[in-house]
Amino acid sequence: MFELRFPLLKKFVDAFDSENPPLHLIFGDSVALRVADDETCKETLEDLVLAELGRDAALCLSHSAYHSQVFCLFCNALAGLRHRPLSVVLPINLRSFSPSWDLHPDYQFLWETATLDDFARGSKGLREPIESTPIAKAVFQAVPLHLPSGNIRPIGDFLEVIASRIDESSGVAWNHRMRDIFIFHYFYNLYPAHRKLRYFGSALKTLLRSGIGVGLYATPINCRAGVKYVGGPFEKCVSSNLTIIKTYLRSFGVEAISTAELTKRARNPKGPVFLDLAFQCDESDFFTPHNPTEHLRAAARKNLAENISMLAKAVAAK
């Protein structure tokens, strides 16, 4: 039924309704799927995670621009399947809270979320497609952004900057372009009631009630380039948002730990954990040194895959 219109749901159902269900469920967005064109290593983050955990031991569900609402609804749908994983790993991509992603009409996944909600409620039928409209896109472009600096600019300004053909040789114009993109993606004030943050809370409640171990991690971002183009307030803003995330997760019993503590935690699991990897990578770890996204080169993908696999094992229900 879902093969053509929602292949990831088909993959999910087949895995946890099978005789040999995976032990770990790993969610991801485009970070799990992208490889730089100039790389000789073409293994994605998904490939590397599966190599670490074993292809029969883990299921990776990744899609560009997937976010906490989609992850949460997949978690809700587990209740209707024969088996459940021992652990679920959820990525927290800081860009997903920004208006650039949170409000983008193409990233609402209205049909997918409605279908997942129907499935969790026991309905196996398929809805008619729900498409974005030109009006929705026009409204998105007109939305005013209230920046931490106090300035107000419409989203359309930033979309024009992203679409502009300016290269590094342009000097000041290039620097201004990169500054605006980093601001658009990461320079916002997160608040505890943000819907994307609350979906992580909902997923945590669902999974913990079911006795499933939960690991969360902050996806690495190119903070050094952000500081280079935006200035010192960039790191301060990102750090403040991470503190809000950690405080919110703590209310669900999630403990923030370091990568060094993962092995110890695997021997003595104590509940859900959060791994803050936001500042883990250097400029050279991204597709380009000035890259304003989270897409990683091979060595950084390998390191992240190792951390994800250790996290999955560390929180797995015993």
Side-chain angles (χ1 to χ4, degrees):
M1 182 195 311
F2 303 111
E3 291 90 340
L4 296 178
R5 290 179 54 188
F6 204 164
L8 285 184
L9 179 55
K10 171 73 163 52
K11 183 179 179 181
F12 172 76
V13 172
D14 287 350
F16 291 106
D17 266 351
S18 70
E19 294 299 327
N20 297 296
L23 303 177
H24 312 286
L25 174 57
I26 316 294
F27 287 106
D29 51 40
S30 61
V31 179
L33 304 171
R34 299 278 177 86
V35 175
D37 292 338
D38 63 347
E39 288 188 292
T40 55
C41 174
K42 297 301 181 183
E43 288 181 300
T44 66
L45 178 62
E46 265 200 4
D47 294 331
L48 295 166
V49 168
L50 290 173
E52 290 284 337
L53 290 172
R55 291 193 172 273
D56 294 330
L59 174 68
C60 291
L61 291 179
S62 305
H63 189 287
S64 291
Y66 265 10
H67 48 70
S68 59
Q69 182 184 10
V70 182
F71 304 151
C72 177
L73 291 169
F74 266 111
C75 292
N76 291 348
L78 280 168
L81 302 178
R82 291 174 58 197
H83 303 285
R84 294 166 191 170
L86 298 181
S87 72
V88 171
V89 175
L90 299 162
I92 300 183
N93 191 320
L94 292 171
R95 185 155 53 109
S96 71
F97 301 106
S98 76
S100 69
W101 187 333
D102 181 44
L103 301 181
H104 198 298
D106 293 341
Y107 303 160
Q108 302 308 307
F109 298 105
L110 298 175
W111 180 83
E112 289 85 351
T113 53
T115 300
L116 284 167
D117 195 46
D118 288 345
F119 185 89
R121 296 171 187 272
S123 172
K124 301 301 190 288
L126 284 178
R127 292 173 176 245
E128 290 299 311
I130 304 173
E131 304 290 346
S132 182
T133 66
I135 293 176
K137 293 179 180 178
V139 170
F140 172 62
Q141 293 178 26
V143 170
L145 292 192
H146 295 257
L147 303 172
S149 62
N151 294 334
I152 301 174
R153 294 172 60 185
I155 283 178
D157 277 7
F158 293 93
L159 298 178
E160 288 179 8
V161 167
I162 291 172
S164 64
R165 300 291 182 180
I166 299 174
D167 60 34
E168 200 166 358
S169 63
S170 303
V172 173
W174 166 264
N175 289 341
H176 287 172
R177 178 178 185 270
M178 297 311 303
R179 178 201 63 197
D180 281 357
I181 298 174
F182 273 101
I183 287 173
F184 189 38
H185 286 177
Y186 305 110
F187 203 61
Y188 57 86
N189 290 324
L190 183 62
Y191 52 95
H194 193 294
R195 61 174 182 158
K196 292 284 169 53
L197 195 51
R198 293 173 73 89
Y199 276 119
F200 281 115
S202 181
L204 274 161
K205 286 192 287 188
T206 297
L207 295 169
L208 295 176
R209 272 199 307 261
S210 300
I212 299 171
V214 187
L216 308 100
Y217 69 93
T219 306
I221 68 167
N222 197 348
C223 185
R224 292 186 184 179
V227 170
K228 175 182 177 181
Y229 291 109
V230 179
F234 181 85
E235 185 172 358
K236 183 178 179 181
C237 180
V238 171
S239 295
S240 174
N241 290 337
L242 284 165
T243 298
I244 288 171
I245 291 169
K246 291 173 187 176
T247 301
Y248 178 78
L249 294 179
R250 196 179 304 126
S251 68
F252 295 92
V254 178
E255 182 184 359
I257 67 172
S258 67
T259 53
E261 296 174 279
L262 276 176
T263 303
K264 185 189 304 182
R265 181 56 70 105
R267 292 195 295 267
N268 185 25
K270 297 178 182 177
V273 300
F274 171 70
L275 202 58
D276 184 0
L277 304 176
F279 299 144
Q280 186 188 54
C281 291
D282 191 70
E283 294 165 285
S284 61
D285 290 322
F286 297 88
F287 279 12
T288 61
H290 48 259
N291 192 280
T293 71
E294 311 77 33
H295 302 135
L296 301 170
R297 300 190 73 84
R301 290 198 303 275
K302 175 69 173 172
N303 187 49
L304 181 55
E306 291 171 355
N307 282 323
I308 290 172
S309 62
M310 286 193 292
L311 183 59
K313 293 174 184 176
V315 300
K318 298 295 189 284

